[in-house]
Amino acid sequence: MTPPEGVPSGAEAHYRSLESLYASAPINALFESRLTIPAAGLSRIAFTLDDRHLHAAGAVHGTAYFKMLDDAAFYAANSLVTDRFLLTTAFNLLFTRPLGPGPVVAEGRWVSGQRRVLIAEARMIDASGEEVARGTGTFMKSRIPLAGLDGYRSTAG
């Protein structure tokens, strides 16, 4: 059976369902952000940081860097896995410059692996187009089926 015209199917349905899963995560109530998955192995998270995300010296706290880089890499990797939720098993982070409040983008890209362990990287870019951080993560397939997660909804009906 073919889905109605305009309703995503196959990979597109998977990407839209992952975007829905991201939006449903309670942690994202703390971050004004939006995930898009344009193609297999790629992700983009646009987000806005504000004074709530600053440390005592007035720059964005490292937790915001980690969260966005980990999420961008994670979703780039999970875009290639249609049956299971991935888990982060390791993540290396490099801060290249301090960041203040404002719009930022995290771009994720799958690097290697597709069976049980996947590697993906991400970078954060500030409003002026400068890279402010980058990271590389290792992700492992879990026993958690994506279809069993409330936020992962089929867009085909």
Side-chain angles (χ1 to χ4, degrees):
M1 181 174 174
T2 304
E5 190 174 322
V7 175
S9 63
E12 283 295 320
H14 175 58
Y15 305 157
R16 302 301 79 84
S17 293
L18 287 173
E19 292 165 358
S20 174
L21 183 64
Y22 176 83
S24 75
I27 185 69
N28 289 323
L30 302 175
F31 295 87
E32 182 185 331
S33 59
R34 183 169 188 272
L35 166 70
T36 55
I37 300 173
L42 299 175
S43 72
R44 184 178 193 277
I45 302 174
F47 57 103
T48 302
L49 297 168
D50 60 39
D51 291 343
R52 297 172 301 153
H53 304 110
L54 304 181
H55 57 55
V60 170
H61 192 275
T63 57
Y65 287 80
F66 172 77
K67 191 244 187 284
M68 292 302 162
L69 289 169
D70 176 56
D71 282 355
F74 168 91
Y75 281 98
N78 220 150
S79 71
L80 300 170
V81 178
T82 59
D83 61 338
R84 299 286 173 190
F85 185 77
L86 297 180
L87 300 173
T88 303
T89 58
F91 201 88
N92 294 310
L93 177 63
L94 173 65
F95 298 93
T96 52
R97 56 184 283 249
L99 185 61
V104 184
V105 172
E107 298 174 335
R109 182 180 74 86
W110 168 78
V111 175
S112 68
Q114 283 189 322
R115 291 192 182 271
R116 185 166 155 83
V117 176
L118 294 91
I119 297 170
E121 61 187 16
R123 65 188 196 129
M124 277 177 60
I125 302 154
D126 69 12
S128 70
E130 292 292 320
E131 182 178 293
V132 297
R134 65 175 42 241
T136 303
T138 303
F139 306 92
M140 183 175 72
K141 287 185 184 182
S142 73
R143 293 183 178 159
I144 303 166
L146 282 169
L149 297 172
D150 288 340
Y152 186 86
R153 62 172 165 70
S154 171
T155 56

